Amino acid sequence: MIVPPGPGRHLGDATGLPRRAPRPRRRRREGTRREEGGPVACGRAAGRPGRSGRTSREAVIAATSAASRSYAEDFVVEDEALERARARGVELGCAPVDPGTGAALRLLAAAAGARAVVEVGTGSGVSTLWLLAGMPADGVLTTIDSEPEHQRAAREALVDAGVRSGRVRVIGGRAQEVLPRLTDGAYDLVLLDADRRDLDAHLDQALRLLRPGGLLVVAGALWRDKVADPAQRDETTTAVRQAGRRVRDDERLLPALLPVGDGLLVGVVRA
């Protein structure tokens, strides 16, 4: 009688020599890999819940703690001229962009090789200095603000930072009146960081000004964490939310919403 081999028994093969029974292969769990700190999602379809009932995307978002966001915001350190410009902005109450947003603006300007930039909303010159830091030495930035105090603070910031004359045009006036005077398709990057209630009109002008491959950038695109909350329906939040949808749905643009600072909405004009 032939007895089936049990654990530890040997099987014969064609040579007549014994061989050990193969160990059962350990089944690999699909969709996970182990990294430091435990298993993480690796290839699970987006939106499919895991054992916890939370989707992989939700798990990643939840893992980004306030401490991590703070670390990211302060990852690039501002120089003394920027710090002084920021302090002046706080005094004036014009809410300068935070360092994380500034670093992202510098990166975008550099990636686009932006030689001609328009900034709507000068403030105290913080975002102006960040943009200039990413532009080539022969680049020219046109910045628009209707507040004389902001213009004076920005000019002080430019002198303090040693920016040479001719690199920046500071224009006083309402953007709705100044933008139509600028040349069609002549700009590499347009930053919108003024009254959000005027965003729709500013978007019209920005799209006219940008060349193919140019960058449209809207600061404050998450607007104090209100945009993501459908219950928030005040005029400013609604305007920012609608601007985001417009950029997202415009077939002329390749859009992305970056969760840096108070949100940075970016669209590249298709070539």
Side-chain angles (χ1 to χ4, degrees):
M1 181 176 67
I2 300 174
V3 180
R9 295 177 182 268
H10 293 86
L11 294 171
D13 59 19
T15 64
L17 297 174
R19 60 183 174 85
R20 188 172 297 277
R23 293 182 179 179
R25 294 183 65 184
R26 187 175 181 181
R27 187 175 180 183
R28 183 180 178 183
R29 290 179 61 192
E30 296 182 359
T32 62
R33 59 185 168 87
R34 183 166 294 277
E35 291 184 352
E36 184 178 355
V40 295
C42 178
R44 179 180 293 153
R48 183 176 297 173
R51 289 186 175 182
S52 66
R54 177 181 285 171
T55 67
S56 58
R57 181 173 63 179
E58 289 169 344
V60 170
I61 292 172
T64 307
S65 66
S68 293
R69 289 200 61 166
S70 178
Y71 178 81
E73 290 296 333
D74 297 331
F75 185 73
V76 178
V77 180
E78 293 186 324
D79 61 25
E80 292 182 359
L82 270 166
E83 288 179 350
R84 287 190 288 269
R86 180 176 301 285
R88 285 188 288 269
V90 171
E91 279 185 28
L92 293 172
C94 59
V97 299
D98 53 76
T101 300
L105 291 174
R106 181 181 64 177
L107 177 71
L108 291 170
R115 283 184 163 78
V117 172
V118 174
E119 176 186 37
V120 179
T122 310
S124 61
V126 172
S127 52
T128 308
L129 292 178
W130 276 113
L131 285 166
L132 286 169
M135 296 169 62
D138 61 347
V140 176
L141 187 150
T142 299
T143 184
I144 305 164
D145 203 297
S146 60
E147 295 291 336
E149 287 185 341
H150 295 178
Q151 296 162 38
R152 284 193 293 270
R155 287 190 174 96
E156 187 176 348
L158 293 170
V159 171
D160 189 21
V163 177
R164 65 174 174 78
S165 176
R167 286 207 68 193
V168 180
R169 296 190 299 168
V170 180
I171 301 178
R174 298 177 68 246
Q176 293 93 319
E177 298 168 356
V178 177
L179 290 172
R181 304 203 300 264
L182 303 181
T183 306
D184 292 10
Y187 294 89
D188 304 304
L189 187 153
V190 176
L191 169 64
L192 303 180
D193 189 18
D195 192 333
R196 273 73 185 172
R197 293 170 295 182
D198 297 325
L199 262 176
D200 198 52
H202 293 170
L203 283 173
D204 287 336
Q205 292 297 324
L207 290 169
R208 178 183 64 80
L209 296 175
L210 286 166
R211 63 165 175 80
L215 285 172
L216 168 67
V217 185
V218 180
L222 294 174
W223 193 244
R224 303 171 182 175
D225 277 339
K226 292 183 177 182
V227 169
D229 182 358
Q232 301 291 334
R233 299 180 182 178
D234 61 273
E235 185 180 3
T236 301
T237 303
T238 300
V240 176
R241 189 181 290 129
Q242 289 175 346
R245 290 170 180 163
R246 178 177 172 183
V247 171
R248 180 192 64 194
D249 297 337
D250 193 319
E251 293 183 354
R252 294 170 293 179
L253 297 170
L254 294 172
L257 179 54
L258 310 180
V260 57
D262 199 21
L264 208 57
L265 178 66
V266 182
V268 181
V269 180
R270 294 177 186 268

